[in-house]
Amino acid sequence: MSKASLLCQRQLLQYLADGGFYSGQWLAEQLGVSRTAVANYLNDLKQHGLEVFSVKGRGYKLAYAIQLLDASKIKAIQTMVKAPILVQHITDSTNCQLLQRLEAGHIVEPGSVIVAEAQSAGRGRRGRSWYSPFGANLYFSCYWRLEQGVSAAMGLSLAVGLAICRLLQQQYQLDAKVKWPNDIYVNDKKIAGILVELSGTLDASCNVVIGIGLNIGMPEHSKQHIDQPYTDLRTESMQQVDRNNLVVELQRQVVNVLQDFAITGFAPFVAEFNQHDLFENRKVTLVSKLPISGICRGVDKQGGIIIETEKSTDVHYGGELSLRAGE
């Protein structure tokens, strides 16, 4: 999409964002384009998960009001962390965008963030897709640098998970839990996921890109794309969520954790994690090379999951963790 078309699409959304009806003719006149162009812009947005209704004689409306991300508003309230926040309209993946900037040799300040209204190729852990409907959630990636190398990143996703838990507790009074190693749950339903991507060597400094997908107001049709129980911030908090404030607060919480983690590693976070452990003292199965079933006993100082079986208590650093069937 050309820069001019992108600008028109954003202006169109600014009119429709309140959730009211607007005629196609009126929208076309405001934008200085044809009614066909208006319809095409909206069809493109539908492809990115935005629910748009068209009613003969009344015009177009969104299924629900949305708040667009606003770079100027974000900058105005960004007082605690000075690293920039870049707002994108629709992108492939905010993680990919940060990684591409690093690969191209751009200087990226630690703590810098990219957010987007929608992702066409959002990614989760182990190559899974991350459903990213337009304007519904938060798609957020933050850059950091670990001078001690890749090996120093053990437990990083858990520490970032605690940053999200802190935010949800402080801003929305939600008791969030971390599902080892990279998901956040509220009331036993997934509300956020974390994807940490590293570029570097074991013993030299490395680049870290931390992607966070946080559900804010999932559209009804999301059920067709997600195969597990999920929830969102609007449902759990029962309040409207200011996405621009949320971006700034998430950056602050994540950077605070990263600053501490860079100095101490994960060890000082162990007690806090164990307070937020979704599967604490529950019967679980860890699927790795071979399934291991036992009782979850928290994590060690490097973020490994501790599982007590009938034969022994061992620490594991990889795999997929779930409740044992029937529990």
Side-chain angles (χ1 to χ4, degrees):
M1 185 177 289
S2 68
K3 190 173 182 179
S5 295
L6 181 61
L7 180 60
C8 282
Q9 194 177 75
R10 290 290 290 181
Q11 291 175 332
L12 174 62
L13 283 167
Q14 287 170 355
Y15 289 120
L16 294 173
D18 64 4
F21 272 105
Y22 292 88
S23 76
Q25 183 61 41
W26 185 86
L27 290 169
E29 291 172 357
Q30 304 310 305
L31 299 178
V33 299
S34 67
R35 292 185 62 175
T36 299
V38 169
N40 288 339
Y41 291 146
L42 291 174
N43 283 332
D44 181 65
L45 288 166
K46 287 180 183 179
Q47 299 303 309
H48 291 284
L50 188 65
E51 291 183 294
V52 183
F53 296 138
S54 175
V55 178
K56 188 174 182 179
R58 300 193 67 185
Y60 298 103
K61 77 178 295 293
L62 301 184
Y64 47 86
I66 63 171
Q67 180 194 37
L68 295 173
L69 296 171
D70 187 317
S72 60
K73 289 181 180 178
I74 288 172
K75 187 174 182 179
I77 59 178
Q78 188 191 14
T79 58
M80 301 298 289
V81 179
K82 297 303 182 182
I85 297 174
L86 175 64
V87 177
Q88 296 187 328
H89 183 57
I90 298 171
T91 190
D92 51 357
S93 155
T94 55
N95 264 30
C96 283
Q97 289 296 308
L98 262 181
L99 290 167
Q100 287 171 12
R101 288 167 189 269
L102 293 168
E103 290 168 1
H106 294 296
I107 297 174
V108 182
E109 183 180 349
S112 297
V113 166
I114 292 180
V115 291
E117 296 285 10
Q119 297 180 125
S120 60
R123 293 178 292 122
R125 189 164 174 260
R126 295 177 178 264
R128 299 186 182 99
S129 64
W130 185 272
Y131 184 56
S132 308
F134 188 98
N137 304 314
L138 190 59
Y139 316 114
F140 171 109
S141 293
C142 180
Y143 168 70
W144 198 250
R145 190 167 180 82
L146 289 177
E147 298 301 332
Q148 303 93 331
V150 172
S151 60
M154 294 190 69
L156 179 57
S157 66
L158 302 182
V160 173
L162 293 175
I164 300 171
C165 289
R166 293 175 186 179
L167 181 151
L168 296 180
Q169 174 61 50
Q170 293 171 14
Q171 299 293 315
Y172 304 100
Q173 296 73 56
L174 296 178
D175 182 21
K177 302 292 185 182
V178 183
K179 179 191 172 190
W180 186 91
N182 66 329
D183 290 332
I184 310 301
Y185 277 60
V186 173
N187 291 325
D188 282 328
K189 296 179 181 178
K190 186 172 177 176
I191 197 169
I194 301 161
L195 176 64
V196 175
E197 297 187 279
L198 307 173
S199 174
T201 60
L202 285 175
D203 54 0
S205 60
C206 73
N207 293 318
V208 183
V209 173
I210 301 149
I212 298 172
L214 175 58
N215 299 341
I216 298 175
M218 293 290 276
E220 183 65 25
H221 69 253
S222 300
K223 295 176 182 177
Q224 304 169 21
H225 303 273
I226 302 174
D227 61 358
Q228 61 181 300
Y230 66 87
T231 188
D232 59 48
L233 195 46
R234 189 168 57 197
T235 299
E236 297 297 335
S237 68
M238 294 185 292
Q239 60 182 279
Q240 291 300 310
V241 177
D242 187 318
R243 295 169 73 224
N244 294 304
N245 284 337
L246 182 60
V247 169
V248 172
E249 182 60 20
L250 183 57
Q251 182 195 42
R252 184 182 73 83
Q253 294 282 5
V254 169
V255 168
N256 283 347
V257 161
L258 291 173
Q259 288 172 335
D260 291 340
F261 186 92
I263 298 170
T264 67
F266 183 70
F269 295 95
V270 170
E272 185 179 358
F273 174 86
N274 288 336
Q275 292 174 355
H276 291 277
D277 184 0
L278 179 66
F279 290 157
E280 180 186 19
N281 297 327
R282 299 169 78 175
K283 295 178 180 178
V284 298
T285 296
L286 179 70
V287 178
S288 186
K289 292 181 179 179
L290 292 173
I292 300 166
S293 294
I295 299 175
C296 180
R297 300 301 191 192
V299 295
D300 74 351
K301 64 181 181 180
Q302 292 182 305
I305 191 74
I306 302 170
I307 298 180
E308 177 186 337
T309 67
E310 293 179 356
K311 296 181 179 179
S312 63
T313 298
D314 299 300
V315 182
H316 306 272
Y317 296 100
E320 294 287 326
L321 192 67
S322 63
L323 284 179
R324 188 184 300 177
E327 298 297 333

